[in-house]
Amino acid sequence: AKINQAKINVNASIVNAGSGTTPFRLSLASTVGGVRGQLHVDSGAVDLGLIRASEGRDASLFLGTGNPATSFLFTSATNTFRDIVSGLEVDAKKAGTTTQVEVSRDFARIVTDVKQLVTTVNDALGRIDTYDSYDPDTEKRGPLLGNPTVARVRQQLIQTAQGPAKGVEGRYRFLSQVGIRFGKDGQLVFDEAKFQAAYDTDSAAVEELFTGFEVAATGSSSPVEGVTIDNPTTTTTYTKLGFGDLFDQLLKKLTNSVDGVTTIADRNFQEQIDGLQDRIKRFDTRLDSRRVRFEAQFAAMEAALAKLQAQQSSLGSIASNLALR
């Protein structure tokens, strides 16, 4: 119980061997798989008679002909090898000299990723509608109602989603052909049944629709491995772009930290705010000056009224004395 309560990577349990006067044994098992899960028990000067029942080992996998000189060795503590080949996950089931790998597409993961794309676009459009809105009942205006940058971002998102993939020549060129279209509320709707039908008909065309990518010319060079030099005089051009990269490049153009559309708009807003703050400070300075002047005028007026009241009292006294005579 103490071992388990210590919350270390070891599980302790009691095993009943069922024989002898002391049938019970303490079993210690590592919760970490493979070689990294080795246990080292320091019992001090007391011999507990510990015996290693089994030893953790990493699974080993040769990719290639099996000849160590021409193959690649991979190890895994979990029997699962990820990204040995990009996007491929291999589960080792048993030891052997040769293994036939059965590859299957993870359609559920594909559907999840496409749904995430739709959700992300809808979230952006929903936020835009919130900022660029007007409620005729309450006459409440959104903070960016009529702002041209907001309108431009909305327009480009919609155009990208409704337009064709660039340079894709397969069966599918539009998102609407694979079950992604705009509904009556201006939000993207994902028809999973239509998407699966398109995928079953031509999975390669669906893949190309989202992931197609070909570069015609680039504005960078790598004279030394690991070093990239951008050439500002050359613009990168693409002969093929699937919707994954179309949206990626659109977002980069909109949010680039140097000259992105929203970055420039944010900078302009900040300049307007700074200008208004300067005007407020100037108004405050003028108000303070006027306050001082008005307070001085008020004090002078109060003094004059006091003198007039004193004179009026004196005149009243003189008039009373004349009346008595």
Side-chain angles (χ1 to χ4, degrees):
K2 290 291 185 181
I3 293 174
N4 290 331
Q5 291 170 6
K7 296 181 179 180
I8 57 178
N9 293 325
V10 177
N11 285 334
S13 59
I14 298 297
V15 178
N16 186 354
S19 61
T21 56
T22 56
F24 297 103
R25 299 289 185 268
L26 173 64
S27 174
L28 302 176
S30 172
T31 61
V32 179
V35 174
R36 293 194 309 113
Q38 293 186 73
L39 297 182
H40 299 276
V41 181
D42 183 2
S43 60
V46 180
D47 183 8
L48 298 180
L50 296 176
I51 299 174
R52 179 176 294 171
S54 61
E55 182 176 358
R57 293 186 300 170
D58 289 342
S60 299
L61 176 67
F62 274 108
L63 179 64
T65 61
N67 181 355
T70 58
S71 302
F72 299 97
L73 174 64
F74 299 91
T75 60
S76 171
T78 62
N79 290 349
T80 298
F81 299 84
R82 293 182 175 87
D83 288 331
I84 292 177
V85 178
S86 181
L88 182 65
E89 181 176 296
V90 178
D91 289 325
K93 300 299 184 181
K94 62 180 181 180
T97 56
T98 59
T99 303
Q100 181 178 356
V101 179
E102 297 181 0
V103 180
S104 60
R105 295 183 183 272
D106 188 353
F107 183 75
R109 174 64 182 275
I110 295 173
V111 170
T112 299
D113 291 342
V114 174
K115 284 182 177 179
Q116 183 61 48
L117 173 64
V118 171
T119 300
T120 302
V121 173
N122 283 340
D123 180 64
L125 292 174
R127 289 173 182 267
I128 290 173
D129 290 340
T130 300
Y131 297 141
D132 185 15
S133 62
Y134 177 75
D135 189 339
D137 296 329
T138 62
E139 297 185 353
K140 184 177 180 181
R141 298 162 54 94
L144 295 175
L145 178 63
N147 181 268
T149 300
V150 173
R152 180 179 176 185
V153 172
R154 178 197 285 115
Q155 180 186 23
Q156 292 193 3
L157 282 172
I158 294 175
Q159 284 181 344
T160 301
Q162 289 182 329
K166 182 175 181 178
V168 172
E169 299 177 353
R171 182 189 298 265
Y172 308 117
R173 298 181 59 243
F174 295 86
L175 289 178
S176 58
Q177 294 175 295
V178 295
I180 301 174
R181 59 178 179 81
F182 278 99
K184 295 181 180 180
D185 58 352
Q187 294 273 291
L188 282 177
V189 178
F190 177 54
D191 186 340
E192 186 172 340
K194 186 173 181 178
F195 180 82
Q196 181 161 7
Y199 188 85
D200 292 341
T201 301
D202 192 342
S203 60
V206 174
E207 180 180 350
E208 186 181 29
L209 180 68
F210 287 94
T211 64
F213 184 85
E214 285 182 3
V215 178
T218 182
S220 62
S221 59
S222 300
V224 180
E225 184 177 357
V227 177
T228 300
I229 299 177
D230 292 327
N231 183 359
T233 62
T234 305
T235 302
T236 301
T237 57
Y238 303 90
T239 55
K240 180 185 295 185
L241 284 177
F243 278 99
D245 285 289
L246 281 176
F247 278 110
D248 181 62
Q249 292 199 8
L250 173 61
L251 291 177
K252 287 180 180 178
K253 182 175 69 174
L254 294 175
T255 63
N256 184 287
S257 60
V258 177
D259 57 359
V261 174
T262 56
T263 302
I264 294 175
D266 181 70
R267 190 182 303 138
N268 292 336
F269 275 127
Q270 189 60 52
E271 290 176 356
Q272 293 178 24
I273 292 172
D274 293 341
L276 291 174
Q277 293 288 0
D278 291 339
R279 292 184 63 187
I280 291 173
K281 289 179 181 178
R282 290 197 298 270
F283 277 124
D284 286 341
T285 301
R286 293 172 61 184
L287 288 174
D288 289 339
S289 177
R290 288 193 176 189
R291 182 182 296 108
V292 171
R293 189 176 70 204
F294 288 153
E295 287 175 349
Q297 291 176 351
F298 182 79
M301 184 180 64
E302 285 289 316
L305 286 175
K307 291 180 180 180
L308 289 174
Q309 288 174 351
Q311 291 176 359
Q312 183 180 13
S313 178
S314 300
L315 291 173
S317 298
I318 293 172
S320 297
N321 292 333
L322 289 175
L324 290 175
R325 292 180 183 180

PDB file of all heavy atoms in Angstrom, residues 295-320:
ATOM      1  N   GLU A 295     -12.284  80.631 -12.696  1.00  0.00           N
ATOM      2  CA  GLU A 295     -12.230  80.739 -11.243  1.00  0.00           C
ATOM      3  C   GLU A 295     -11.743  82.130 -10.820  1.00  0.00           C
ATOM      4  O   GLU A 295     -12.252  82.711  -9.841  1.00  0.00           O
ATOM      5  CB  GLU A 295     -11.307  79.659 -10.675  1.00  0.00           C
ATOM      6  CG  GLU A 295     -11.905  78.256 -10.732  1.00  0.00           C
ATOM      7  CD  GLU A 295     -10.930  77.188 -10.270  1.00  0.00           C
ATOM      8  OE1 GLU A 295      -9.720  77.532 -10.115  1.00  0.00           O
ATOM      9  OE2 GLU A 295     -11.358  76.035 -10.075  1.00  0.00           O
ATOM     10  N   ALA A 296     -10.764  82.677 -11.565  1.00  0.00           N
ATOM     11  CA  ALA A 296     -10.284  84.030 -11.253  1.00  0.00           C
ATOM     12  C   ALA A 296     -11.389  85.054 -11.497  1.00  0.00           C
ATOM     13  O   ALA A 296     -11.605  85.982 -10.694  1.00  0.00           O
ATOM     14  CB  ALA A 296      -9.054  84.344 -12.094  1.00  0.00           C
ATOM     15  N   GLN A 297     -12.123  84.904 -12.608  1.00  0.00           N
ATOM     16  CA  GLN A 297     -13.216  85.823 -12.899  1.00  0.00           C
ATOM     17  C   GLN A 297     -14.321  85.710 -11.847  1.00  0.00           C
ATOM     18  O   GLN A 297     -14.897  86.734 -11.435  1.00  0.00           O
ATOM     19  CB  GLN A 297     -13.784  85.534 -14.289  1.00  0.00           C
ATOM     20  CG  GLN A 297     -12.842  85.883 -15.429  1.00  0.00           C
ATOM     21  CD  GLN A 297     -13.404  85.485 -16.774  1.00  0.00           C
ATOM     22  OE1 GLN A 297     -14.434  84.802 -16.851  1.00  0.00           O
ATOM     23  NE2 GLN A 297     -12.727  85.901 -17.840  1.00  0.00           N
ATOM     24  N   PHE A 298     -14.595  84.482 -11.430  1.00  0.00           N
ATOM     25  CA  PHE A 298     -15.629  84.300 -10.409  1.00  0.00           C
ATOM     26  C   PHE A 298     -15.218  84.936  -9.096  1.00  0.00           C
ATOM     27  O   PHE A 298     -16.041  85.572  -8.407  1.00  0.00           O
ATOM     28  CB  PHE A 298     -15.890  82.798 -10.220  1.00  0.00           C
ATOM     29  CG  PHE A 298     -16.969  82.493  -9.221  1.00  0.00           C
ATOM     30  CD1 PHE A 298     -18.304  82.603  -9.568  1.00  0.00           C
ATOM     31  CD2 PHE A 298     -16.647  82.110  -7.919  1.00  0.00           C
ATOM     32  CE1 PHE A 298     -19.308  82.323  -8.640  1.00  0.00           C
ATOM     33  CE2 PHE A 298     -17.641  81.831  -7.000  1.00  0.00           C
ATOM     34  CZ  PHE A 298     -18.975  81.939  -7.365  1.00  0.00           C
ATOM     35  N   ALA A 299     -13.930  84.779  -8.736  1.00  0.00           N
ATOM     36  CA  ALA A 299     -13.447  85.392  -7.492  1.00  0.00           C
ATOM     37  C   ALA A 299     -13.541  86.920  -7.560  1.00  0.00           C
ATOM     38  O   ALA A 299     -13.941  87.590  -6.584  1.00  0.00           O
ATOM     39  CB  ALA A 299     -12.011  84.952  -7.229  1.00  0.00           C
ATOM     40  N   ALA A 300     -13.183  87.503  -8.742  1.00  0.00           N
ATOM     41  CA  ALA A 300     -13.268  88.956  -8.899  1.00  0.00           C
ATOM     42  C   ALA A 300     -14.717  89.421  -8.828  1.00  0.00           C
ATOM     43  O   ALA A 300     -15.030  90.479  -8.225  1.00  0.00           O
ATOM     44  CB  ALA A 300     -12.647  89.354 -10.234  1.00  0.00           C
ATOM     45  N   MET A 301     -15.619  88.617  -9.414  1.00  0.00           N
ATOM     46  CA  MET A 301     -17.034  88.967  -9.372  1.00  0.00           C
ATOM     47  C   MET A 301     -17.577  88.905  -7.952  1.00  0.00           C
ATOM     48  O   MET A 301     -18.356  89.772  -7.511  1.00  0.00           O
ATOM     49  CB  MET A 301     -17.831  88.024 -10.275  1.00  0.00           C
ATOM     50  CG  MET A 301     -19.309  88.364 -10.381  1.00  0.00           C
ATOM     51  SD  MET A 301     -20.188  87.206 -11.460  1.00  0.00           S
ATOM     52  CE  MET A 301     -19.994  85.688 -10.527  1.00  0.00           C
ATOM     53  N   GLU A 302     -17.155  87.915  -7.199  1.00  0.00           N
ATOM     54  CA  GLU A 302     -17.577  87.797  -5.813  1.00  0.00           C
ATOM     55  C   GLU A 302     -17.083  88.998  -5.001  1.00  0.00           C
ATOM     56  O   GLU A 302     -17.822  89.559  -4.168  1.00  0.00           O
ATOM     57  CB  GLU A 302     -17.036  86.487  -5.214  1.00  0.00           C
ATOM     58  CG  GLU A 302     -17.765  85.237  -5.666  1.00  0.00           C
ATOM     59  CD  GLU A 302     -19.141  85.156  -5.055  1.00  0.00           C
ATOM     60  OE1 GLU A 302     -19.300  85.412  -3.847  1.00  0.00           O
ATOM     61  OE2 GLU A 302     -20.092  84.859  -5.812  1.00  0.00           O
ATOM     62  N   ALA A 303     -15.852  89.421  -5.262  1.00  0.00           N
ATOM     63  CA  ALA A 303     -15.317  90.588  -4.548  1.00  0.00           C
ATOM     64  C   ALA A 303     -16.105  91.841  -4.902  1.00  0.00           C
ATOM     65  O   ALA A 303     -16.433  92.676  -4.042  1.00  0.00           O
ATOM     66  CB  ALA A 303     -13.843  90.762  -4.889  1.00  0.00           C
ATOM     67  N   ALA A 304     -16.440  92.017  -6.195  1.00  0.00           N
ATOM     68  CA  ALA A 304     -17.216  93.182  -6.615  1.00  0.00           C
ATOM     69  C   ALA A 304     -18.605  93.178  -5.996  1.00  0.00           C
ATOM     70  O   ALA A 304     -19.118  94.223  -5.531  1.00  0.00           O
ATOM     71  CB  ALA A 304     -17.312  93.213  -8.133  1.00  0.00           C
ATOM     72  N   LEU A 305     -19.234  92.002  -5.946  1.00  0.00           N
ATOM     73  CA  LEU A 305     -20.556  91.899  -5.325  1.00  0.00           C
ATOM     74  C   LEU A 305     -20.503  92.226  -3.838  1.00  0.00           C
ATOM     75  O   LEU A 305     -21.410  92.868  -3.290  1.00  0.00           O
ATOM     76  CB  LEU A 305     -21.114  90.475  -5.531  1.00  0.00           C
ATOM     77  CG  LEU A 305     -21.599  90.131  -6.944  1.00  0.00           C
ATOM     78  CD1 LEU A 305     -21.991  88.661  -7.021  1.00  0.00           C
ATOM     79  CD2 LEU A 305     -22.791  91.015  -7.324  1.00  0.00           C
ATOM     80  N   ALA A 306     -19.421  91.796  -3.212  1.00  0.00           N
ATOM     81  CA  ALA A 306     -19.278  92.110  -1.777  1.00  0.00           C
ATOM     82  C   ALA A 306     -19.178  93.615  -1.565  1.00  0.00           C
ATOM     83  O   ALA A 306     -19.785  94.187  -0.639  1.00  0.00           O
ATOM     84  CB  ALA A 306     -18.051  91.402  -1.215  1.00  0.00           C
ATOM     85  N   LYS A 307     -18.434  94.293  -2.449  1.00  0.00           N
ATOM     86  CA  LYS A 307     -18.315  95.747  -2.332  1.00  0.00           C
ATOM     87  C   LYS A 307     -19.658  96.425  -2.591  1.00  0.00           C
ATOM     88  O   LYS A 307     -20.061  97.362  -1.888  1.00  0.00           O
ATOM     89  CB  LYS A 307     -17.281  96.263  -3.318  1.00  0.00           C
ATOM     90  CG  LYS A 307     -15.844  95.858  -2.972  1.00  0.00           C
ATOM     91  CD  LYS A 307     -14.873  96.400  -4.002  1.00  0.00           C
ATOM     92  CE  LYS A 307     -13.436  95.998  -3.650  1.00  0.00           C
ATOM     93  NZ  LYS A 307     -12.457  96.507  -4.654  1.00  0.00           N
ATOM     94  N   LEU A 308     -20.385  95.959  -3.590  1.00  0.00           N
ATOM     95  CA  LEU A 308     -21.690  96.525  -3.904  1.00  0.00           C
ATOM     96  C   LEU A 308     -22.660  96.339  -2.747  1.00  0.00           C
ATOM     97  O   LEU A 308     -23.451  97.242  -2.408  1.00  0.00           O
ATOM     98  CB  LEU A 308     -22.263  95.889  -5.173  1.00  0.00           C
ATOM     99  CG  LEU A 308     -21.574  96.275  -6.496  1.00  0.00           C
ATOM    100  CD1 LEU A 308     -22.147  95.459  -7.649  1.00  0.00           C
ATOM    101  CD2 LEU A 308     -21.744  97.774  -6.763  1.00  0.00           C
ATOM    102  N   GLN A 309     -22.601  95.161  -2.119  1.00  0.00           N
ATOM    103  CA  GLN A 309     -23.480  94.909  -0.985  1.00  0.00           C
ATOM    104  C   GLN A 309     -23.130  95.826   0.185  1.00  0.00           C
ATOM    105  O   GLN A 309     -24.013  96.329   0.891  1.00  0.00           O
ATOM    106  CB  GLN A 309     -23.383  93.438  -0.570  1.00  0.00           C
ATOM    107  CG  GLN A 309     -24.047  92.488  -1.558  1.00  0.00           C
ATOM    108  CD  GLN A 309     -23.812  91.034  -1.196  1.00  0.00           C
ATOM    109  OE1 GLN A 309     -23.024  90.734  -0.304  1.00  0.00           O
ATOM    110  NE2 GLN A 309     -24.509  90.148  -1.899  1.00  0.00           N
ATOM    111  N   ALA A 310     -21.815  96.081   0.371  1.00  0.00           N
ATOM    112  CA  ALA A 310     -21.401  96.990   1.445  1.00  0.00           C
ATOM    113  C   ALA A 310     -21.886  98.413   1.160  1.00  0.00           C
ATOM    114  O   ALA A 310     -22.381  99.124   2.048  1.00  0.00           O
ATOM    115  CB  ALA A 310     -19.884  96.961   1.596  1.00  0.00           C
ATOM    116  N   GLN A 311     -21.749  98.818  -0.118  1.00  0.00           N
ATOM    117  CA  GLN A 311     -22.213 100.156  -0.505  1.00  0.00           C
ATOM    118  C   GLN A 311     -23.725 100.279  -0.353  1.00  0.00           C
ATOM    119  O   GLN A 311     -24.257 101.302   0.101  1.00  0.00           O
ATOM    120  CB  GLN A 311     -21.795 100.459  -1.938  1.00  0.00           C
ATOM    121  CG  GLN A 311     -20.291 100.639  -2.123  1.00  0.00           C
ATOM    122  CD  GLN A 311     -19.919 100.829  -3.577  1.00  0.00           C
ATOM    123  OE1 GLN A 311     -20.789 100.813  -4.443  1.00  0.00           O
ATOM    124  NE2 GLN A 311     -18.625 101.017  -3.827  1.00  0.00           N
ATOM    125  N   GLN A 312     -24.437  99.205  -0.713  1.00  0.00           N
ATOM    126  CA  GLN A 312     -25.889  99.223  -0.576  1.00  0.00           C
ATOM    127  C   GLN A 312     -26.301  99.348   0.882  1.00  0.00           C
ATOM    128  O   GLN A 312     -27.256 100.057   1.227  1.00  0.00           O
ATOM    129  CB  GLN A 312     -26.483  97.953  -1.185  1.00  0.00           C
ATOM    130  CG  GLN A 312     -28.001  97.913  -1.160  1.00  0.00           C
ATOM    131  CD  GLN A 312     -28.542  96.632  -1.772  1.00  0.00           C
ATOM    132  OE1 GLN A 312     -27.795  95.689  -1.996  1.00  0.00           O
ATOM    133  NE2 GLN A 312     -29.833  96.618  -2.042  1.00  0.00           N
ATOM    134  N   SER A 313     -25.594  98.711   1.768  1.00  0.00           N
ATOM    135  CA  SER A 313     -25.893  98.803   3.199  1.00  0.00           C
ATOM    136  C   SER A 313     -25.653 100.224   3.713  1.00  0.00           C
ATOM    137  O   SER A 313     -26.442 100.768   4.501  1.00  0.00           O
ATOM    138  CB  SER A 313     -25.020  97.792   3.961  1.00  0.00           C
ATOM    139  OG  SER A 313     -25.246  97.881   5.341  1.00  0.00           O
ATOM    140  N   SER A 314     -24.559 100.828   3.221  1.00  0.00           N
ATOM    141  CA  SER A 314     -24.255 102.212   3.652  1.00  0.00           C
ATOM    142  C   SER A 314     -25.308 103.178   3.155  1.00  0.00           C
ATOM    143  O   SER A 314     -25.792 104.069   3.899  1.00  0.00           O
ATOM    144  CB  SER A 314     -22.873 102.632   3.138  1.00  0.00           C
ATOM    145  OG  SER A 314     -21.862 101.767   3.661  1.00  0.00           O
ATOM    146  N   LEU A 315     -25.705 102.997   1.897  1.00  0.00           N
ATOM    147  CA  LEU A 315     -26.737 103.864   1.339  1.00  0.00           C
ATOM    148  C   LEU A 315     -28.067 103.693   2.071  1.00  0.00           C
ATOM    149  O   LEU A 315     -28.806 104.658   2.296  1.00  0.00           O
ATOM    150  CB  LEU A 315     -26.924 103.573  -0.153  1.00  0.00           C
ATOM    151  CG  LEU A 315     -25.750 103.978  -1.075  1.00  0.00           C
ATOM    152  CD1 LEU A 315     -25.992 103.481  -2.484  1.00  0.00           C
ATOM    153  CD2 LEU A 315     -25.573 105.490  -1.053  1.00  0.00           C
ATOM    154  N   GLY A 316     -28.333 102.493   2.451  1.00  0.00           N
ATOM    155  CA  GLY A 316     -29.564 102.247   3.211  1.00  0.00           C
ATOM    156  C   GLY A 316     -29.556 102.948   4.543  1.00  0.00           C
ATOM    157  O   GLY A 316     -30.576 103.495   4.991  1.00  0.00           O
ATOM    158  N   SER A 317     -28.420 102.971   5.191  1.00  0.00           N
ATOM    159  CA  SER A 317     -28.306 103.639   6.491  1.00  0.00           C
ATOM    160  C   SER A 317     -28.488 105.140   6.337  1.00  0.00           C
ATOM    161  O   SER A 317     -29.169 105.814   7.143  1.00  0.00           O
ATOM    162  CB  SER A 317     -26.937 103.339   7.116  1.00  0.00           C
ATOM    163  OG  SER A 317     -26.790 101.958   7.346  1.00  0.00           O
ATOM    164  N   ILE A 318     -27.856 105.707   5.295  1.00  0.00           N
ATOM    165  CA  ILE A 318     -27.976 107.154   5.060  1.00  0.00           C
ATOM    166  C   ILE A 318     -29.443 107.513   4.790  1.00  0.00           C
ATOM    167  O   ILE A 318     -29.989 108.512   5.279  1.00  0.00           O
ATOM    168  CB  ILE A 318     -27.089 107.595   3.875  1.00  0.00           C
ATOM    169  CG1 ILE A 318     -25.619 107.422   4.242  1.00  0.00           C
ATOM    170  CG2 ILE A 318     -27.371 109.028   3.456  1.00  0.00           C
ATOM    171  CD1 ILE A 318     -24.672 107.636   3.100  1.00  0.00           C
ATOM    172  N   ALA A 319     -30.119 106.705   3.973  1.00  0.00           N
ATOM    173  CA  ALA A 319     -31.529 106.988   3.670  1.00  0.00           C
ATOM    174  C   ALA A 319     -32.386 106.929   4.910  1.00  0.00           C
ATOM    175  O   ALA A 319     -33.316 107.754   5.101  1.00  0.00           O
ATOM    176  CB  ALA A 319     -32.015 105.964   2.639  1.00  0.00           C
ATOM    177  N   SER A 320     -32.099 106.050   5.810  1.00  0.00           N
ATOM    178  CA  SER A 320     -32.885 105.942   7.057  1.00  0.00           C
ATOM    179  C   SER A 320     -32.682 107.157   7.919  1.00  0.00           C
ATOM    180  O   SER A 320     -33.629 107.711   8.524  1.00  0.00           O
ATOM    181  CB  SER A 320     -32.471 104.661   7.818  1.00  0.00           C
ATOM    182  OG  SER A 320     -32.761 103.525   7.064  1.00  0.00           O
TER     183      SER A 320
END
